[in-house]
Amino acid sequence: MLGFLRTMVGRSGMVKPSCLVRPVAVTRITGRYLAHQESLPKLPVPPLKQTCDRYLAALEPIVEEDELQHTRRLLEEFQTGGVGERLQKGLERRARKMENWLSDWWLKVAYLDYRMPVVVHSSPGVVLPRMEFHDRQGQMRFAAKMISGVLNFKTMIDNETLPVEHLGGQALCMHQYYQVLSSCRIPGTKSDSIVNYSQGRRPPSHITVVHNFQFFVLDVYNSDGTPLTVDQIYIQLEKIWNSSLQTNKEPIGILTTQDRNTWAKAYNTLIKDRTNKESVRAIQKSIITVCLDAPMPRASEEQYRSRAAVQMLHGGGSRWNSGNRWFDKTIQFIIGEDGSCGVIYEHAPAEGPPIIKLIDHVVEYMKQSEMVRTPMVPLPMPRKLRFNITPEIKNDIEKAKQNLNIMVQDLDVRVIVFPHFGKNVPKSHKMSPDAFIQIALQLAYYRMYKVCCATYESASLRMFRLGRTDTIRSASIDSAKFVKAMDNSAIQNMEKVALFEKAVKGHRTYTDMAIRGQAIDRHLLGLKLTAIEDLTSLPEIFMDTSYAKALHYNLSTSQVPAKTDCVMCFGPVVPDGYGVCYNPMDEHINFAVSAFNSCEDTNASRMAQTLEEALVDLRDLLEQTPKAKL
Ligand code: COA
Ligand code: HC5
């Protein structure tokens, strides 16, 4: 199992020149946004020495002393022997020529070339608060409002009236908003591609709805271009429901859960048939997909969010809702008959924040929208998408079911609502809440394993044109010093507080550096890919044990703040790791922790519990230690 964002091109010669990348549809942004986009700075290439020094510092808490010495020598050679300089120059040339030297490479290396299934290994899920409805009318009324909310948001995208977002006082790139509607991933035998129909001459006016594994095209605009009302959508959804009552249909969508090479082969078989090809195209083109799910196995109130998290991430297995999806679709809204609801999204076109912005808008919109009865012009019956299932396709579906069920068995997700405090407590101690949480995670990991591990936190690069992410390395020299001191009874609390404050400050400094394009990971990747494109031999620093360890993220984490009280989740990126996603609210924090059952050393519930204790202990440490008198 390969880890996401593990340099992805481990061995030399595996990355093809970027001219072979099938480009994502060029966005036709006009007017206001164009001026905004052009005003954004270009992603810089950090100085070589700065990255080498910071890389060495980042290795210190996670590698052995002899490995560190070896890497120190390799880095010196790299910098003084001319290789580093040459690659740096090459990268700087690329940066001058391109809008963003990283984004094409990143899309390809992190997503399109990655061969693991998108399910669990790449696509994040979002669990929304459980809804009150307990029957199909409630489910459909809710779905109708949700769809109407998405269309309302789409109007803002189309009219370019979405307010420009900011981070750290800087305006952010809005490009990703143009990538998420009417788009879809397509499997390929070596590399996937993305299609985006939103910028075409005749952008799609339909969504796809799937119920009992059967897909429908639902036109959501009237002939005069106005969106259907909630009431109209509701009636159309009822028609869909009534014509998909059979529960014995082939779960064609389950094919999208396979590893990408297997799915690419099955895809070619599937679309040999013209009807199938047209049906697949209709899904790919649709604005979004809405999954009307069958009820999932009952769960206690305490377990509900963890169960809903897996429903969003993989659908629960072939017996449940996994066939009620098209996982290549960029955005799928999921609404269960039992009140469960959420989203899964295919990660290649965009990061979490634009998706969350869309969700926050939809949730807000739904609070206002009423089911006003509109005079009814009869609408045509939504079109059912037909699939001709040959024995070969049937066989592919059976294999997909088996593999998916293994993945489902293997994924362990634990959601906790940490009730004791949220951003308020760190803020009252003049600390960055994100840094506080990250250091708590370092403490939790250390308490469980007595070592520090390579830790990934996503940092947004959207201050730059077409920016995606870089890595905040949360395991630092200072965090290691602190976690080792925290449970040492020979150390005074005052000293512990000082070490804690230093670690938190250090984390915030790394964050500022990362969002300003001065972190180390994407720069190292850029140097490596430059070497590969130049067809020169791969520098030794990229074949070093330290480098492999630095990219083996036992903790893969991400903060995605939302106004809505939701939980975001994703799988671990290494077989023996954890995925930790959190949404810090003012007075509580929602966490989702994932791990693989097949790994004896990891346990999502234990990690969640240890994290909870670490957070409480850190607060107590601050509150029980009198401030040193100056
Ligand atoms: N004292 C008091 N308050 C402080 C503080 C301090 N020392 N430091 C920060 N705060 C406040 C901030 O002003 C902010 O206030 P707000 O709640 O009013 O907005 C709040 O605490 C949160 O700040 P912080 O916890 O430091 O985090 P952040 O919001 O700056 O986020 C990242 C940090 C890394 C998450 C952010 O920079 C980022 O990159 N986000 C995108 C991540 C992403 O893309 N994830 C998904 C990938 S798909
Ligand atoms: C809805 C929340 C989605 C969060 C997804 C996320 O953080 O993705 C990371 C993207 C990146 O480039 O850092 C990858 N990660 C899940 C492996 C952390």
Side-chain angles (χ1 to χ4, degrees):
M1 215 175 307
L2 278 175
F4 177 78
L5 312 192
R6 279 219 263 154
T7 39
M8 303 126 228
V9 260
R11 293 146 299 272
S12 58
M14 284 181 64
V15 171
K16 291 175 276 352
S18 59
C19 57
L20 295 185
V21 180
R22 233 190 285 179
V24 183
V26 177
T27 311
R28 282 195 296 132
I29 302 178
T30 53
R32 210 166 71 82
Y33 269 160
L34 187 65
H36 164 68
Q37 290 297 117
E38 287 181 348
S39 74
L40 293 168
K42 281 172 76 170
L43 181 69
V45 177
L48 187 62
K49 181 168 183 332
Q50 174 183 299
T51 294
C52 291
D53 291 350
R54 287 177 176 173
Y55 173 46
L56 211 53
L59 289 177
E60 205 174 308
I62 55 169
V63 302
E64 303 298 331
E65 187 50 40
D66 56 333
E67 291 165 343
L68 192 68
Q69 289 307 343
H70 180 65
T71 307
R72 181 174 288 128
R73 277 196 300 280
L74 294 183
L75 281 167
E76 270 162 23
E77 246 172 68
F78 182 66
Q79 290 179 88
T80 54
V83 177
E85 205 55 40
R86 189 167 49 75
L87 296 179
Q88 174 78 0
K89 288 243 155 63
L91 196 53
E92 286 168 357
R93 257 196 310 280
R94 178 180 164 94
R96 278 193 297 276
K97 280 194 293 205
M98 302 184 73
E99 261 199 292
N100 183 313
W101 62 262
L102 175 64
S103 52
D104 277 11
W105 267 346
W106 184 248
L107 178 67
K108 195 168 148 54
V109 157
Y111 298 104
L112 304 183
D113 286 357
Y114 189 57
R115 302 287 80 199
M116 297 288 277
V118 290
V119 177
V120 174
H121 299 285
S122 181
S123 298
V126 182
V127 181
L128 289 167
R130 187 183 200 155
M131 292 299 141
E132 288 299 314
F133 54 83
H134 292 289
D135 59 16
R136 100 177 210 217
Q137 268 80 16
Q139 180 187 18
M140 238 118 33
R141 233 188 306 278
F142 182 84
K145 283 189 187 179
M146 200 172 218
I147 294 164
S148 183
V150 174
L151 298 180
N152 188 265
F153 193 79
K154 182 176 180 300
T155 307
M156 290 204 288
I157 297 179
D158 293 344
N159 298 345
E160 300 184 7
T161 48
L162 256 183
V164 168
E165 289 176 282
H166 289 78
L167 180 66
Q170 303 280 324
L172 299 184
C173 174
M174 299 295 283
H175 177 80
Q176 290 177 21
Y177 284 98
Y178 290 83
Q179 308 306 317
V180 295
L181 298 178
S182 312
S183 67
C184 196
R185 183 162 168 160
I186 298 180
T189 35
K190 288 209 174 89
S191 184
D192 291 1
S193 54
I194 302 170
V195 282
N196 179 343
Y197 293 93
S198 68
Q199 307 294 316
R201 244 180 300 138
R202 285 187 50 216
S205 59
H206 69 279
I207 62 168
T208 32
V209 177
V210 49
H211 175 237
N212 281 337
F213 309 158
Q214 298 154 67
F215 286 85
F216 292 80
V217 164
L218 168 52
D219 240 298
V220 283
Y221 289 91
N222 292 301
S223 49
D224 64 358
T226 54
L228 297 195
T229 62
V230 174
D231 202 26
Q232 285 175 308
I233 299 171
Y234 173 77
I235 287 171
Q236 295 299 77
L237 290 177
E238 283 243 293
K239 292 183 196 162
I240 288 176
W241 181 287
N242 288 327
S243 39
S244 52
L245 295 173
Q246 318 87 313
T247 51
N248 58 352
K249 293 288 173 182
E250 284 299 335
I252 189 83
I254 214 150
L255 291 173
T256 62
T257 65
Q258 283 279 43
D259 72 82
R260 304 309 294 176
N261 287 342
T262 307
W263 170 212
K265 275 196 213 117
Y267 181 82
N268 289 334
T269 312
L270 180 70
I271 62 167
K272 265 190 219 143
D273 176 285
R274 227 172 98 191
T275 306
N276 294 350
K277 190 174 182 173
E278 279 167 14
S279 296
V280 168
R281 182 63 52 87
I283 299 172
Q284 291 166 342
K285 278 181 117 168
S286 61
I287 299 165
I288 53 165
T289 295
V290 171
C291 311
L292 299 174
D293 270 14
M296 293 282 287
R298 279 189 179 280
S300 65
E301 219 27 65
E302 207 253 328
Q303 284 294 325
Y304 167 73
R305 282 182 187 235
S306 303
R307 201 227 62 199
V310 294
Q311 180 183 359
M312 302 313 149
L313 281 172
H314 55 53
S318 62
R319 282 187 54 222
W320 302 95
N321 288 298
S322 300
N324 214 43
R325 307 275 184 277
W326 192 266
F327 285 100
D328 288 356
K329 189 70 196 153
T330 308
I331 304 186
Q332 300 191 82
F333 279 89
I334 298 161
I335 302 145
E337 203 176 320
D338 50 10
S340 53
C341 60
V343 167
I344 178 159
Y345 86 93
E346 198 292 297
H347 210 327
E351 310 309 337
I355 308 288
I356 295 299
K357 195 81 176 179
L358 163 64
I359 293 174
D360 277 344
H361 180 87
V362 170
V363 169
E364 215 33 55
Y365 177 94
M366 286 170 69
K367 285 183 195 152
Q368 303 153 11
S369 76
E370 277 306 312
M371 294 274 286
V372 189
R373 296 240 165 251
T374 34
M376 278 297 161
V377 187
L379 293 165
M381 175 68 201
R383 182 164 58 91
K384 186 172 189 165
L385 294 175
R386 304 272 160 205
F387 285 97
N388 295 321
I389 310 283
T390 61
E392 200 181 354
I393 298 170
K394 168 96 180 118
N395 190 32
D396 286 336
I397 291 176
E398 290 309 313
K399 280 191 283 183
K401 281 187 192 170
Q402 281 173 17
N403 289 337
L404 186 262
N405 289 338
I406 293 169
M407 277 201 289
V408 165
Q409 286 305 311
D410 199 20
L411 187 73
D412 178 19
V413 180
R414 174 78 181 148
V415 171
I416 51 165
V417 177
F418 175 76
H420 306 288
F421 57 89
K423 288 188 281 186
N424 54 348
V425 163
K427 280 186 187 180
S428 72
H429 292 279
K430 302 204 169 27
M431 287 178 163
S432 145
D434 185 68
F436 188 109
I437 295 167
Q438 284 289 329
I439 301 302
L441 263 164
Q442 290 299 307
L443 178 60
Y445 193 90
Y446 188 79
R447 281 179 168 173
M448 280 176 77
Y449 299 100
K450 300 289 170 273
V451 286
C452 300
C453 70
T455 307
Y456 180 109
E457 184 192 2
S458 306
S460 176
L461 285 179
R462 284 176 55 210
M463 269 184 201
F464 305 99
R465 222 180 297 166
L466 304 184
R468 298 284 308 246
T469 60
D470 206 327
T471 311
I472 304 168
R473 290 192 165 265
S474 311
S476 65
I477 297 172
D478 289 333
S479 74
K481 272 192 195 144
F482 167 66
V483 298
K484 285 173 190 160
M486 179 67 185
D487 296 330
N488 182 344
S489 53
I491 296 178
Q492 298 278 311
N493 276 1
M494 214 115 86
E495 192 182 339
K496 289 181 187 173
V497 170
L499 290 171
F500 179 40
E501 282 178 337
K502 193 159 182 228
V504 166
K505 274 215 180 86
H507 187 85
R508 187 59 237 183
T509 307
Y510 201 119
T511 300
D512 285 328
M513 179 176 107
I515 62 177
R516 285 173 176 75
Q518 299 295 325
I520 59 178
D521 281 87
R522 302 302 180 267
H523 186 200
L524 288 172
L525 176 69
L527 293 167
K528 181 176 172 182
L529 295 181
T530 307
I532 293 169
E533 284 206 347
D534 285 357
L535 300 175
T536 48
S537 64
L538 200 63
E540 281 194 67
I541 57 163
F542 300 120
M543 297 189 285
D544 179 27
T545 311
S546 295
Y547 192 60
K549 283 194 174 176
L551 294 171
H552 190 89
Y553 293 113
N554 291 98
L555 279 175
S556 166
T557 78
S558 189
Q559 181 202 137
V560 188
K563 288 206 187 91
T564 310
D565 192 9
C566 55
V567 189
M568 299 78 157
C569 44
F570 47 76
V573 298
V574 292
D576 55 345
Y578 293 98
V580 181
C581 196
Y582 51 97
N583 173 15
M585 309 291 282
D586 286 332
E587 301 195 358
H588 68 277
I589 311 170
N590 298 333
F591 284 100
V593 180
S594 64
F596 292 118
N597 287 317
S598 54
C599 176
E600 278 185 13
D601 299 333
T602 55
N603 181 318
S605 296
R606 247 189 81 212
M607 173 52 85
Q609 173 75 33
T610 314
L611 174 60
E612 205 166 334
E613 287 161 14
L615 284 162
V616 169
D617 290 353
L618 291 176
R619 179 200 56 191
D620 292 350
L621 173 73
L622 291 176
E623 295 190 346
Q624 288 161 12
T625 313
K627 276 263 167 213
K629 299 257 180 323
L630 291 174

